[in-house]
Amino acid sequence: MPIIQITMLEGRDQETIETCMRNIAHTVQKSLGVPLTSIRIVVNEVPKNRFAVGDKLKSEMQE
């Protein structure tokens, strides 16, 4: 049973995240030859003030 964990910064809309999850599930199915029902995907959204690059919080950075 493959378990895929995705960690990303918060802010994407629900439809975009769901599309990503579906695309990843199909890619894993094709790559590993496992049934879709055995694939688990977990998306963790991190607030920008809880993610840093070096000593700079992502919330402090210009987009």
Side-chain angles (χ1 to χ4, degrees):
M1 170 177 54
I3 302 172
I4 296 92
Q5 293 191 37
I6 303 167
T7 302
M8 65 176 75
L9 292 174
E10 66 183 0
R12 291 174 178 83
D13 62 84
Q14 186 65 29
E15 183 179 342
T16 299
I17 295 169
E18 290 174 5
T19 298
C20 177
M21 294 171 73
R22 287 186 182 96
N23 289 340
I24 289 170
H26 287 282
T27 298
V28 170
Q29 177 194 31
K30 290 175 188 172
S31 298
L32 299 180
V34 297
L36 279 173
T37 56
S38 73
I39 299 168
R40 308 293 186 262
I41 300 173
V42 178
V43 175
N44 298 300
E45 292 186 275
V46 178
K48 291 181 181 180
N49 64 348
R50 296 289 187 259
F51 185 91
V53 177
D55 67 345
K56 297 278 189 193
L57 294 176
K58 190 65 176 168
S59 60
E60 299 171 335
M61 297 178 171
Q62 295 286 337
E63 296 285 324

